[in-house]
Amino acid sequence: MAAPGALEPAAGSVPGTKVELTVSCRNLLDLDTFSKSDPVVVLFVQVSGSSEWKEFGRTEVIDNTLNPDFVRKFVLDYYFEEKQNLRFDVYNVDSKSCSILKQDFLGQAFVALGEVIGSQRGRLERPLTGVPGKRCGTILLLAEDLSNCRDIVTMQLCANKLDKKDFFGKSDPFLVFYRSNEDGTFTICHKTEVVKNTLNPVWQPFTIPVRALCNGDYDRTVKIDVYDWDRDGSHDFIGEFATSYRELSRAQSQFTVYEVLNPRKKCKKKKYVNSGTVTLLSFSVESEFTFVDYIRGGTQLNFTVAIDFTASNGLPSQPTSLHYVSPYQLSAYALALKAVGEIIQDYDSDKLFPAYGFGAKVPPDGKISHQFPLNNNVENPSCAGIEGVLESYLQSLRTVQLYGPTNFAPVINQVAGIAAQVTDGSQYHVLLIITDGVISDMLQTKEAIVTASSLPMSIIIVGVGPAEFEAMEELDGDEVRLSSRGRYAERDIVQFVPFRDYVDDSGNQVLSMARLAKDVLAEIPEQLLSYMKTRDIKPRRADPE
């Protein structure tokens, strides 16, 4: 859920550019007894026009260091005309819990994005504060305007006869890539995995955007350091070499061999030749397509709605019911439906949306159904526009009996069956499930989602009411990939948000519908792209206007 997204712009704002923030820290507090801290930085953005802070993203965790240089970047939309307040919280990861609140707090810094961009050479250093009586160290921020280069590179390297650094074994080598900056300094952009106990490692192929490697300047220096990994974080420097994107790209037609040089050894030893060699085994370039490329190329988003009609919602005629519609405001269900539907309908050409209910006894025989059409038309459950879905939903409230249990699997399998019919990238399905509580068929639901993860579809779950929704968090596989009976989901296709996060403190459901829509739809573009990429589906060319 912490995937990077846009900051909250004022209505009508147009981002001037995308800015990449690189984060480092120096002299952090050391809270570990037998080793150094294992830091992570969490970025929060202040919601425009309010005092609320919302998590934007996190860096990776780096073990055993008080001076981390993080590889994971934050990419932000920059609005010149707005004050975009950022908060960086630093933690020592000391438990396996995904909750950041269970980690040790190391300090925080507040800064406006404009301050970083406006500082000399786009570099800003701020003291970390927040731990009484302690010097918390500093945070260093580097802002760089991202180029429009959208190519991505896949490369593989190996090394030969690297220096031996470990007393009882061979070295455990890994590579660190740096791109050069305008002022001659270097910014980390990639680390390979560690290959244990060898002087002749072969690293796994990896993919990196060209803009991350050289910011679109093909002749900009790329420096590569070779290290021997040590458990305590004090990695031994083996040597380095320099190249450029242009030089690397020549490896498409031939192997390129680089000498690994250690400047200290070179100065001390007259007969020093090198500390080994690194060979570029393969290098390929392809365009990185965007969500917009697929939409412009004709990909249709097909929107399906499933609404919870179980008895735990309360009698619709009672003001305490989650389905209660007063003369003055819509129910939580209707608000969530409008917020998401009114955005997604712009990407659906026919504006016809299948809409189902589940967990109710339906006429005429009173049988329990977990996928009954809201418009009462089994042959054609589609409603005309979001207003048509709302009308059918309100009509169903008057004709069905709320009952139970809360089963998700039938409607997920229903949409998955339709998605499986067209898998060429021309159709992508989004299922919105609005529910109030605990899933009754958790095992079947997990199985259905794992199966659906290989299909062109995503699932949005909006939880309404006061329930804790732990099961929903499990289905939203941001932290741990969902699995069922030994099978893992091919992609993370579920996004869950609790509706109560979008109701103001007085409880009167004054909803920022735009913010709810932004959060629940935030992962759809990446989920669509991940499907297209795994199937090697390229966007069709947009018809000339």
Side-chain angles (χ1 to χ4, degrees), residues 150 287 289 292-299 424-426 537-545:
R150 284 164 40 191
S287 290
F289 297 113
V292 174
D293 291 331
Y294 286 97
I295 298 302
R296 288 190 64 200
T299 296
D424 63 357
S426 62
I537 297 171
K538 294 179 172 52
R540 294 179 172 88
R541 289 186 179 277
D543 294 330
E545 295 181 1

Side-chain angles (χ1 to χ4, degrees), residues 32 55 96 174 468 484:
D32 287 351
E55 183 177 329
K96 293 182 179 178
F174 67 97
E468 286 305 311
S484 173

Side-chain angles (χ1 to χ4, degrees), residues 313-326:
N313 285 283
L315 283 172
S317 59
Q318 299 298 315
T320 53
S321 171
L322 295 168
H323 282 301
Y324 179 71
V325 180
S326 79

